[in-house]
Amino acid sequence: MKREDAMIFAPSCRQIGVTLTEEPMSTIAFSPEEALRYNRHMIMPEVGPEGQAKLKAARVLLVGAGGLGSPAGLYLAAAGIGKIGIVDFDAVDASNLHRQVLHGTRDVGRSKLDSAIDTLSDINPHVEFVRHETRFTSENALEIAAGYDMIVDGTDNFPTRYLVNDVCVLTGKPNVYGSIFRFDGQATVFAAPGGPCYRCLYPEPPPPGTVPNCAEGGVLGILPGLVGVIQATEAIKLILRAGEPLIGRLLMIDALTMQFREIKIRRDPECSICGDKPTVRELVDYESFCGIPASPTADMEFEIEPIEVKAKLDRGESLTLLDVREPFEFRIGSIRESILIPMDDVVDRIGELNPDQETIVLCHAGRRSAFVCEQLKQLGFKRVRNLKGGIDRWSTTVDPGIPRY
């Protein structure tokens, strides 16, 4: 894009941004070390000292310090965002390391929050980092978000995506969104003034288990770097009020062919939260909204521990151990007594199963198998249980010879 073409967008984009501190930008000072650190920004006419002051005054909440949160956090910190809050409650696992570049081999087992803040503080000690070592929930989300100008969504599950969206709509904060799966990525800005929100694009969540997450379907390690950097770029543009943000434009990325395309998305006047007559006026139970069982008692009755299944097999009990993963996953590692019928083929191959026999269903971590259990129950199977934690939990509690992935 030519420079004169780029400037066409500037007047309208200055009306779209985030509300920063009321302190005049001229009063925000930089130490000599900061001025040297940011001088390549400050000599840009689109940024300059005033723009860098806006970055220093900005407060960004990063939900998730994983695949997307790693590159987004690195570049937001390097850019000089004044305050970065990070929400995460997980620990670093070896399976994270091919994509979650905030963490290293020596961090395995550590809190992701500790690891992330150590890395980011080394990148830029002039940034204030705020720890939120907790699950982002309906009970705490509004309180956490209150101290920030925008949210960068680095989550990987539907309940939290809807939660982040609704928090942003209800509080008037932009939602810098990204998602990844295998070779495919998406990025946009939701909940900006006049623009669409996540519910405009996805009014209802998919049925539980029908859409695999990265742990089940995999992700190219480089892809979150690509999408997370785009999210950081959009956040910085919103703070600077520069360029043309991804508002009303869903950027679709195919890393396998390295093609980028856009889909225009508009605010839906009938949207349940940002429409003309909203029906959602407060945060809800997002686990329940997405169809995920919330009852611990029900889960205990429905699920069975791997060690219990191993005991049944050792006793020679008659049961069907149904593996609903994909063939390539089955080749990585499987339970010797199991049979493979991928999730999408179960209904078509129902004749291969005995409805009168106890059937224990497994997948990688328990999500897809839970969906298949419900399918089997609807088809008349009475003795169906879900292997808790899937093949991954079997590997850690029963047979460590089965590779984890």
Side-chain angles (χ1 to χ4, degrees), residues 310-371:
K310 179 64 165 59
K312 285 175 175 286
L313 293 172
D314 290 344
R315 290 193 297 266
E317 294 186 20
S318 179
L319 59 84
T320 298
L321 196 55
L322 174 61
D323 192 324
V324 298
R325 295 176 298 156
E326 294 300 312
F328 71 89
E329 294 178 274
F330 193 80
R331 290 194 294 270
I332 293 173
S334 63
I335 302 171
R336 180 169 54 84
E337 295 85 353
S338 65
I339 62 171
L340 173 66
I341 304 180
M343 182 179 75
D344 293 340
D345 299 337
V346 169
V347 174
D348 293 336
R349 297 172 58 182
I350 198 70
E352 301 176 30
L353 303 173
N354 182 356
D356 298 322
Q357 190 172 59
E358 181 178 11
T359 302
I360 298 169
V361 190
L362 70 122
C363 63
H364 178 236
R367 291 178 69 251
R368 285 172 286 175
S369 51
F371 177 74

Side-chain angles (χ1 to χ4, degrees), residues 291-311:
I292 299 173
S295 168
T297 302
D299 285 347
M300 288 174 64
E301 295 172 353
F302 178 64
E303 294 184 322
I304 183 169
E305 288 283 353
I307 195 70
E308 296 179 62
V309 178
K310 179 64 165 59

Side-chain angles (χ1 to χ4, degrees), residues 162-238:
Y162 280 100
L163 171 59
V164 169
N165 176 79
D166 291 1
V167 168
C168 287
V169 173
L170 294 174
T171 59
K173 303 177 192 291
N175 170 13
V176 185
Y177 169 82
S179 70
I180 51 173
F181 181 67
R182 293 182 177 168
F183 286 89
D184 298 320
Q186 297 181 358
T188 189
V189 175
F190 288 123
C197 78
Y198 185 72
R199 286 181 184 257
C200 294
L201 186 61
Y202 302 111
E204 299 289 339
T210 58
V211 180
N213 58 24
C214 292
E216 297 167 335
V219 62
L220 181 69
I222 296 168
L223 183 65
L226 185 60
V227 176
V229 167
I230 290 173
Q231 289 179 274
T233 304
E234 290 303 300
I236 290 169
K237 284 161 54 182
L238 288 169

Side-chain angles (χ1 to χ4, degrees), residues 23 136 144 148 160 195 226 231 241 286 337 340 367 369:
E23 182 181 1
F136 199 60
I144 291 173
Y148 301 92
T160 314
L226 185 60
Q231 289 179 274
R241 298 175 182 257
Y286 292 90
E337 295 85 353
L340 173 66
R367 291 178 69 251
S369 51

